Amino acid sequence: MLSVGLVATDDSFMRVRESSAHCTPRRTNHARARSGADRAQAGYLTNVVEPLVSAPRVLLVIEATRDARAIDATLRRAGWQPCRTRVTTTEELASVLREGGCQAVVVDCRLRRLDVLGAIAAVLDHDVDLPVIAVSDIFDNLAVETMRAGAADYLLLDDVRRLPAALATELGKANERRELRRAHEELSTSEARFRTLARATNQIVWTIGADGRVDGPIDDWTAFTGQSLEEFSGEGWLDALHPDDRERAGAAWQLAIESGEPFETEYRLHQRGDGYRWISSRAVPLRDASGAVIQWIGADRDVTDHLGVVRDLATERGFHARLMATSPAFFCAVGADGKIMLMNQAMLDHLGYQLDEVVGAAFVALLIPAADQASVEAEVWKLLGGNESVTRELTMVRADGGELLVEWRATPVFSADGEIHHAAGVGIDVTERASAEAALRENEARFRLLFDAAPLPYQSLDTDGVITAVNDAWLESFGYRPTTWSVVPLPSSSPPGTANACGTCWSASPRTAAPGSSSSWSAPTARGSSRPSMPGSASMPAGSAARRIASWLT
């Protein structure tokens, strides 16, 4: 129930405290006993002031007891129950206002103890939106003065039944004014915040009229370009753009004005004393309640350095892409889910796949033989868990069912937030090399069998003249046992034969042979006697060529 203040005596002001009554209009037995006309009037008043039920207080500044009783009766018929508190001075009135809670004020124009205009001024000083309704028994010059002083309405006491409706109307207007002021304050705060943020990020902030024409100074633009208001007004701002960008930027701006859609483009803008800078420009329309554009708000951001980084990054990515495309090595990226993200052409060609056949497929299930899948998958998940790089040989299955042996090295790659993004692997097809190594090992095994089983004595020397191997016939021929034979180097200044395997000397004198024929050498036995080598058993080319042969017959 709305609480109302009311004067009780001729020399006092009264105000309302919050009423503890229910917030719904109630009709007493006395009201029910009234005439039909009175009931109709009461019903009219109740319906009219229904929006005021939520208002907590109304302050009455009235001295005449008769008038106070009339207003009290009118408000009671409207369903309000007033509570009264006495005040006697202007200071007390101001104190009541400061305590708050009053939504409206009703003031008598015939106050004797208080200047009515001063009372209105005190109310409006407290809250400019607080509605003031003046009442009097006549409409005279004082009534006009009260309206000029800020009273929202003026009622004759003979027409006081209109008071509840007048209160409802003025409270509604006051709420609208407060909301509008709050909206303007929020808009101003938002704009100030936007400008502060824009300046903190080194942006040019600007506002332009709904028709796209400059309607005032733009300090940021002037500071950046050096253009004055007269110079950039109209289409003059285009003069600050690079000649190659003017037509494109101007057309984009005109299209935005005509369509009402946001404007966004990039152009080169001349910075005073620093040449042209790349600018990213964006503007959005500000609309009123009907949707009509009332203003454009925009910001220009210097993106020169950013574009440089983007270009460098694009160049680097292009280089990496070309490197992967032309490299004979394999490259494959496996995502955190174990599925293939990327594979270069060399790997696709060797495996016999197309790119769309492998992207999104599980790496292990597609490329690893069934027998190896368990061990390889365990290593893959360890790698994707952030483990260090892994190097190993992998057997991979081709699309036609064949197999490749790949020497593979993989390492985890992390995102900026430290999470694993993917694993990158580089490999080389070593299938042919492995086959060649296997064939070489097989040939070496065959040679060793022949070497050991040969009936003639054989020895093998490396390029430094060190005996690296002898066969059983050699040991038997020179009287050595395998357990006592050791390897020693031959002096580089003498032909084979200066020192034997046990450190004793070979004969320093070669047996002379006919020109162009082989030379033979005498070799000491294990007992110190000299035993000639088989004549013609080893030819000795000039210089150190014999050492590079690596083996010959003794």
Side-chain angles (χ1 to χ4, degrees), residues 415-499:
S415 61
D417 57 4
E419 297 294 328
I420 188 75
H421 186 264
H422 67 273
V426 179
I428 301 175
D429 183 359
V430 295
T431 306
E432 294 182 359
R433 188 186 75 182
S435 299
E437 290 175 349
L440 179 61
R441 286 193 298 270
E442 183 178 354
N443 289 338
E444 287 178 347
R446 290 175 181 174
F447 173 79
R448 187 69 195 182
L449 288 174
L450 293 174
F451 182 82
D452 290 339
L456 296 177
Y458 285 98
Q459 67 181 10
S460 174
L461 283 77
D462 63 16
T463 57
D464 294 324
V466 176
I467 300 174
T468 59
V470 296
N471 66 350
D472 292 341
W474 190 94
L475 293 172
E476 182 179 355
S477 175
F478 290 98
Y480 290 102
R481 297 190 303 275
T483 56
T484 61
W485 180 80
S486 60
V487 176
V488 296
L490 294 173
S492 61
S493 61
S494 61
T498 303

Side-chain angles (χ1 to χ4, degrees), residues 2-3 15-18 55-59 99-104:
L2 186 65
S3 300
R15 74 175 175 92
V16 171
R17 293 291 186 186
E18 290 255 4
R57 298 177 185 175
V58 174
L59 177 65
E99 289 179 10
C102 296
Q103 295 284 332

